[in-house]
Amino acid sequence: MERKQFDIEGMSCAACSARVEKCVSGLDGIRTVQVNLLTNSMVVEYDEAKIDRQGIEQAVAGAGYAAKEHADRPGHDRAVDLAVREQREMRIRWWRSFVFLLPLMYVSMGHMFAWPLPAFLVGTQHALFLVLVQLLLLAPIVYWNRKYFTRGFGALFKANPNMDSLVAVGASAAILYGVYALFRIWSGLNAHDMELVQRFAHDLYFESAGTILTLVTLGKYLESKSKSRTSEAITKLMDLAPKTAVIVRFGMEKEVPVDEVRVGDLVRVKPGQRVPVDGVIEKGGGSVDESALTGESMPVFKQPGDTVLTATVSQTGAFTFRATKVGSDTTLSQIIGLVNEAAASKAPISKLADRVSAVFVPVVMGIALLAAAVWLLLGWPFDFALSTAISVLVISCPCALGLATPVAIMVGTGKAAEYGILVKSAESFEKARKIDTVVLDKTGTITEGKPQVTDVRSRTLSREQLLSFMAALERLSEHPLAEAVVREAERLQVPRYDAESFEVIPGLGVEGRIDGQHYCVGSLRLMTMRKLECEAYALEAETLAEQGRTPLFLADEQQVLGMVAVADVLKPTSREAIEQMRQAGMEVVMLTGDNRKTAAAVRRELNVSHVVAEVLPQDKDREIVRLQTEGRKVSMIGDGINDAPALMRSDLGIAIANGTDIAIESADMVLMKGDLLDAVTAFRLSRAVLRNIKENLFWAFFYNLVCIPLAAGVFYSFLGWKLSPMVAALAMSFSSVSVVMNALRLRRFRSLKEKAERKQAKHI
């Protein structure tokens, strides 16, 4: 399956996005389609064997829109470029329209307020000139806003009416009635029927058409400005990418555009400069600020062999590194891609709005026709019925429905990115809100994941021999406990051995051959399975385990040769994060492959609800299933490697990233800093986003449920309430703006840590 994102041009409302989604989803080979009105984007998952990118683009073109594959180069976003250009065009259109609308309103309404007018426009005998002047003032407004007519009628003729269709039909009805009035005035003048002339001279709708077009354009402009604020997080991320890089070729430094850097190139970075691509340092070093990517404020010291990431800043020292990831493969590009994809995805809560949007415009047109017909049948004048129909058409706003969910998702994903939390889909927010049980991996999640050797015990080998044999095997393992043994061996500079026939025993340890002799390193459980006697070390191992240290044993085929104890310290924020989860009503469960004594020590220190020790990777998966069968909504937080099955199985998988592994497929969210407090922030932010979406949907539905009957004149007979087309245009223009502004309130979201810091600052 291939997954691609497309930029869509021409969408103006939720009916448009529903139409695009429907026409693409009907193609053979399409698995999923998600169209986002806010970002004017579409994410498609499809079978390349049945359909290609060109086929998808042609299907969108057939529906009356344009689709282009999304540009994913760092520092560039075609959708953002299109939005900026369209916003600039709308601003110019609005100002031009407004300049002509003012005299149009003055001329058309001057007689009502006794405003001074030129003599050739005053009096019934000059009514024809008055109409012609209004028509001439309206013509430029219609021309500059012709997109509403071309797009609206184009969609209507394709049996796919949208918001532009409502505006086009409403404005056209007003203009055509004005032209009809012009001919009636002309015939009245010829027949000297001044009563007819006066009646039609006061019932023109040219100013209504001009006001509708101008106010709708103003509303769309304000909406686009508000929407651009929701994508500031993505724009800021793209701006982090340096535009140039200094590469070293043939001993000479050369500054080139970052797009020209290739994997394997040597790149030089000086103090104060941003790293242009991902790579590994070969020469030099210094402190690097990685806060732009991880949110971690403390700089990290880098030296030869360490990885540096795109957009991080060298604070002290210069270094030369070998490029390992460039272009769309860099960490920054992956982050931008994840944030973009999450913002373009849909939450399940939006399904109701999608279903309504698909039939909204045809229903509104039917209501407008019905309202006009009813008023005519009741004996009201044609102009009253026409005014009612135009008001219904203009006040209806599918935009508010279409924007209710994506604006909140966009702001929410951007806010999450600021905290170093990468949300992979909008659905993740909805999942996170329902979580009542959090399952935590211990090593690397609750603890630092960089344990140290604290004790070395052997009755048959020297300290150096024991560490040499254990390091030979552990050097080939990726487990954090293995790294601790290797680091201790290197620190003491013990003799180095190479292991052969290396194998991992999942969840228990490793084994292999050293100088032809078979050895294994692992837990007490492994020794028991191999029926090796551990009585000589049992009491001491139990004491160490009660202190929270993990015993590791070395054995050959006949006996246990020795033991080391490894301790992994807790992360500074783990205790507070678990307490915050418990206060939020969540049960916290810790899973660990450590023995029960070590697990119990950690449990006492953290006050964890429940601990499952000595678990294999598959046991973690079974524990998730067990909790789910009890009816719980479970979130698994782990390192995304040996926890992958559990992350996939859980209702919400949250992966701990190491700064480069940001696209862990098994997780719904990724914590860039590896801080459990960020998981608490993710849960709180998810609740805020879902609450905001519900508010947006409520007001979008409430607006249409109230305003459409009001515009149709339902309350006119007994309350005298009636909306003119101009007021309807104003209300419609600001309905979608209000939804966007409500979503922007999410930008004021603060983590608990920030709240505490602000509260403390106020008391100082």
XYZ file of all heavy atoms in Angstrom, residues 493-540:
378
model
N 39.002 -1.055 31.374
C 39.957 -1.500 30.343
C 40.348 -2.969 30.527
O 41.529 -3.334 30.504
C 41.203 -0.605 30.350
C 40.900 0.848 30.000
C 42.152 1.709 29.960
O 43.210 1.336 30.465
N 42.027 2.875 29.349
N 39.357 -3.808 30.719
C 39.613 -5.239 30.866
C 39.930 -5.837 29.501
O 39.623 -5.240 28.455
C 38.379 -5.939 31.483
C 38.081 -5.358 32.865
C 37.160 -5.816 30.577
N 40.530 -7.036 29.448
C 40.832 -7.669 28.158
C 39.554 -7.865 27.329
O 38.491 -8.174 27.860
C 41.443 -9.025 28.563
C 41.996 -8.782 29.933
C 41.068 -7.812 30.584
N 39.685 -7.693 26.023
C 38.520 -7.787 25.137
C 38.483 -9.149 24.453
O 39.487 -9.612 23.907
C 38.574 -6.681 24.089
C 37.371 -6.670 23.150
C 37.543 -5.613 22.068
N 36.448 -5.655 21.132
C 35.454 -4.781 21.072
N 35.407 -3.788 21.947
N 34.499 -4.896 20.163
N 37.311 -9.779 24.478
C 37.077 -11.046 23.783
C 35.969 -10.844 22.749
O 35.103 -9.974 22.898
C 36.660 -12.151 24.765
C 37.731 -12.546 25.750
C 37.809 -11.942 26.998
C 38.656 -13.534 25.429
C 38.775 -12.301 27.914
C 39.635 -13.905 26.340
C 39.692 -13.285 27.573
O 40.663 -13.645 28.472
N 36.009 -11.676 21.712
C 34.969 -11.636 20.691
C 34.109 -12.885 20.806
O 34.619 -13.997 20.937
C 35.575 -11.557 19.284
C 36.287 -10.237 19.052
O 35.774 -9.205 19.529
O 37.351 -10.229 18.396
N 32.798 -12.687 20.759
C 31.854 -13.799 20.879
C 31.412 -14.278 19.503
O 31.301 -13.502 18.555
C 30.639 -13.368 21.695
N 31.155 -15.568 19.403
C 30.649 -16.171 18.170
C 29.330 -16.890 18.467
O 29.004 -17.159 19.624
C 31.671 -17.173 17.612
C 33.013 -16.540 17.264
C 34.045 -17.581 16.827
O 33.790 -18.783 17.073
O 35.078 -17.184 16.263
N 28.598 -17.207 17.396
C 27.317 -17.920 17.521
C 26.390 -17.225 18.508
O 25.720 -17.855 19.335
C 27.554 -19.372 17.965
O 28.428 -20.034 17.079
N 26.362 -15.897 18.418
C 25.570 -15.091 19.354
C 24.076 -15.264 19.094
O 23.626 -15.248 17.947
C 25.950 -13.617 19.224
C 25.101 -12.691 20.046
C 25.350 -12.508 21.395
C 24.032 -12.009 19.474
C 24.564 -11.658 22.156
C 23.244 -11.153 20.232
C 23.518 -10.980 21.575
N 23.294 -15.399 20.176
C 21.841 -15.500 20.059
C 21.180 -14.781 21.229
O 21.699 -14.786 22.348
C 21.376 -16.969 20.059
C 21.705 -17.724 18.787
C 21.091 -19.117 18.776
O 20.153 -19.333 19.572
O 21.542 -19.962 17.995
N 20.032 -14.183 20.935
C 19.246 -13.517 21.977
C 18.177 -14.488 22.469
O 17.502 -15.141 21.669
C 18.578 -12.237 21.436
C 17.663 -11.623 22.495
C 19.631 -11.225 20.998
N 18.053 -14.574 23.789
C 16.982 -15.365 24.393
C 15.934 -14.358 24.860
O 16.116 -13.714 25.900
C 17.505 -16.194 25.581
C 18.747 -16.986 25.169
C 16.419 -17.123 26.117
C 19.489 -17.606 26.333
N 14.863 -14.136 24.088
C 13.930 -13.029 24.337
C 13.458 -12.943 25.783
O 12.939 -13.900 26.345
C 12.753 -13.337 23.390
C 13.364 -14.151 22.296
C 14.429 -14.979 22.954
N 13.688 -11.759 26.381
C 13.215 -11.497 27.729
C 14.026 -12.136 28.826
O 13.730 -11.935 30.006
N 15.057 -12.939 28.469
C 15.813 -13.679 29.485
C 17.295 -13.349 29.485
O 17.911 -13.235 30.540
C 15.624 -15.186 29.282
C 14.189 -15.712 29.429
C 14.133 -17.185 29.056
C 13.686 -15.505 30.854
N 17.898 -13.189 28.298
C 19.329 -12.932 28.236
C 19.903 -13.206 26.866
O 19.187 -13.174 25.856
N 21.224 -13.504 26.816
C 21.922 -13.782 25.557
C 22.871 -14.959 25.775
O 23.211 -15.313 26.914
C 22.721 -12.550 25.072
C 21.787 -11.400 24.732
C 23.751 -12.110 26.128
N 23.297 -15.558 24.664
C 24.265 -16.648 24.758
C 25.146 -16.652 23.525
O 24.804 -16.066 22.495
C 23.551 -17.990 24.902
C 22.662 -18.353 23.728
C 21.928 -19.664 23.946
O 22.320 -20.410 24.851
O 20.973 -19.942 23.196
N 26.324 -17.316 23.661
C 27.249 -17.411 22.548
C 28.498 -18.168 22.968
O 28.585 -18.698 24.089
N 29.482 -18.198 22.079
C 30.721 -18.930 22.358
C 31.884 -17.948 22.400
O 32.002 -17.062 21.545
C 30.971 -19.996 21.297
C 29.797 -20.963 21.116
C 30.146 -22.100 20.175
N 31.039 -23.075 20.789
C 30.637 -24.069 21.594
N 29.349 -24.213 21.873
N 31.507 -24.910 22.108
N 32.764 -18.158 23.417
C 33.980 -17.359 23.570
C 35.146 -18.327 23.647
O 35.209 -19.177 24.552
C 33.921 -16.488 24.839
C 32.686 -15.574 24.805
C 35.191 -15.659 24.984
C 32.473 -14.801 26.093
N 36.077 -18.218 22.680
C 37.221 -19.149 22.590
C 36.752 -20.597 22.603
O 37.333 -21.473 23.276
C 38.204 -18.908 23.754
C 38.965 -17.600 23.589
O 38.998 -17.069 22.440
O 39.511 -17.101 24.583
N 35.630 -20.851 21.912
C 35.118 -22.213 21.773
C 34.272 -22.701 22.918
O 33.704 -23.792 22.856
N 34.182 -21.920 23.981
C 33.405 -22.306 25.157
C 32.052 -21.596 25.150
O 31.958 -20.409 24.849
C 34.180 -21.934 26.439
C 33.464 -22.254 27.740
C 33.371 -23.753 28.018
O 34.277 -24.516 27.667
N 32.268 -24.171 28.615
N 30.989 -22.329 25.485
C 29.639 -21.764 25.503
C 29.386 -21.037 26.816
O 29.638 -21.566 27.899
C 28.592 -22.870 25.328
C 27.181 -22.349 25.331
N 26.454 -22.180 26.488
C 26.361 -21.954 24.310
C 25.267 -21.702 26.200
N 25.179 -21.567 24.877
N 28.839 -19.797 26.701
C 28.481 -19.005 27.874
C 27.099 -18.395 27.651
O 26.656 -18.202 26.517
C 29.477 -17.860 28.121
C 30.867 -18.317 28.501
C 31.849 -18.505 27.525
C 31.206 -18.531 29.839
C 33.129 -18.913 27.861
C 32.493 -18.938 30.191
C 33.448 -19.129 29.194
O 34.707 -19.528 29.534
N 26.461 -18.064 28.766
C 25.209 -17.311 28.679
C 25.178 -16.267 29.782
O 25.771 -16.455 30.856
C 23.989 -18.229 28.772
S 23.787 -19.077 30.349
N 24.507 -15.157 29.487
C 24.341 -14.064 30.457
C 22.851 -13.753 30.533
O 22.191 -13.595 29.496
C 25.114 -12.799 30.032
C 24.824 -11.650 31.010
C 26.606 -13.071 29.960
N 22.325 -13.656 31.764
C 20.911 -13.339 31.860
C 20.411 -13.314 33.286
O 21.184 -13.225 34.254
N 19.106 -13.408 33.400
C 18.436 -13.282 34.692
C 18.462 -14.597 35.469
O 18.846 -15.648 34.941
C 16.985 -12.857 34.471
O 16.296 -13.866 33.749
N 18.024 -14.525 36.712
C 17.909 -15.714 37.548
C 16.949 -16.720 36.902
O 17.160 -17.934 36.994
C 17.407 -15.318 38.943
C 17.194 -16.452 39.941
C 18.511 -17.170 40.232
C 16.582 -15.913 41.234
N 15.948 -16.223 36.231
C 14.984 -17.092 35.560
C 15.659 -17.929 34.473
O 15.349 -19.112 34.296
C 13.869 -16.230 34.963
C 12.696 -17.018 34.407
C 11.628 -16.047 33.936
N 10.510 -16.720 33.320
C 9.490 -16.101 32.737
N 9.471 -14.772 32.718
N 8.509 -16.777 32.190
N 16.613 -17.331 33.748
C 17.339 -18.068 32.705
C 18.187 -19.167 33.334
O 18.251 -20.298 32.815
C 18.216 -17.109 31.899
C 19.116 -17.757 30.832
C 18.285 -18.489 29.779
C 20.022 -16.710 30.184
N 18.838 -18.828 34.462
C 19.672 -19.826 35.127
C 18.809 -21.010 35.599
O 19.205 -22.178 35.485
C 20.385 -19.208 36.348
C 21.268 -18.009 36.010
S 22.633 -18.374 34.861
C 22.138 -17.428 33.412
N 17.627 -20.700 36.103
C 16.723 -21.749 36.566
C 16.268 -22.628 35.410
O 16.192 -23.860 35.528
C 15.507 -21.124 37.267
O 15.963 -20.284 38.336
C 14.585 -22.198 37.824
N 15.945 -21.994 34.274
C 15.518 -22.753 33.090
C 16.628 -23.682 32.606
O 16.358 -24.790 32.130
C 15.109 -21.798 31.964
C 13.773 -21.096 32.193
S 13.384 -19.925 30.869
C 13.388 -21.024 29.441
N 17.896 -23.219 32.747
C 19.026 -24.046 32.314
C 19.444 -25.037 33.404
O 20.436 -25.766 33.234
C 20.214 -23.132 31.958
C 19.954 -22.236 30.731
C 19.932 -23.040 29.459
N 19.465 -22.286 28.325
C 20.270 -21.572 27.513
N 21.559 -21.513 27.750
N 19.758 -20.936 26.484
N 18.701 -25.034 34.525
C 18.969 -25.944 35.647
C 20.382 -25.781 36.183
O 21.092 -26.749 36.476
C 18.716 -27.390 35.230
C 17.256 -27.632 34.826
C 17.009 -29.087 34.433
C 15.551 -29.310 34.048
N 15.277 -30.712 33.651
N 20.790 -24.519 36.330
C 22.109 -24.188 36.874
C 21.938 -23.724 38.321
O 21.079 -22.912 38.637
C 22.768 -23.089 36.033
C 23.060 -23.476 34.569
C 23.510 -22.254 33.783
C 24.126 -24.573 34.507
N 22.779 -24.214 39.176
C 22.674 -23.946 40.602
C 23.143 -22.517 40.914
O 24.251 -22.125 40.574
C 23.523 -24.945 41.386
C 23.435 -24.777 42.891
C 22.017 -24.925 43.394
O 21.378 -25.953 43.081
O 21.548 -24.006 44.094
N 22.271 -21.719 41.599
C 22.601 -20.331 41.932
C 22.618 -20.088 43.443
O 22.587 -18.945 43.901
C 21.584 -19.383 41.299
S 21.616 -19.332 39.503
N 22.640 -21.158 44.218
C 22.514 -21.015 45.664
C 23.605 -20.136 46.260
O 23.363 -19.385 47.207
C 22.540 -22.398 46.325
C 22.251 -22.348 47.815
C 22.194 -23.747 48.430
O 22.172 -24.734 47.660
O 22.150 -23.827 49.669
N 24.805 -20.181 45.697
C 25.918 -19.403 46.244
C 25.673 -17.904 46.123
O 26.248 -17.108 46.881
C 27.220 -19.778 45.520
N 24.842 -17.505 45.161
C 24.603 -16.075 44.930
C 23.167 -15.664 45.269
O 22.816 -14.493 45.170
C 24.863 -15.721 43.457
C 26.264 -16.055 43.001
C 26.529 -17.257 42.341
C 27.318 -15.177 43.229
C 27.817 -17.570 41.915
C 28.606 -15.476 42.805
C 28.853 -16.677 42.152
O 30.124 -16.972 41.745
N 22.340 -16.619 45.638
C 20.908 -16.359 45.789
C 20.610 -15.306 46.849
O 19.832 -14.371 46.614
C 20.181 -17.657 46.116
N 21.207 -15.445 48.045
C 20.905 -14.525 49.131
C 21.334 -13.105 48.795
O 20.589 -12.144 49.004
C 21.594 -14.994 50.419
C 21.317 -14.141 51.665
C 19.818 -14.122 51.976
C 22.114 -14.660 52.864
N 22.536 -12.985 48.239
C 23.042 -11.657 47.885
C 22.218 -11.056 46.743
O 21.935 -9.854 46.743
C 24.516 -11.754 47.482
C 25.194 -10.400 47.397
C 26.709 -10.520 47.261
O 27.208 -11.652 47.140
O 27.367 -9.468 47.270
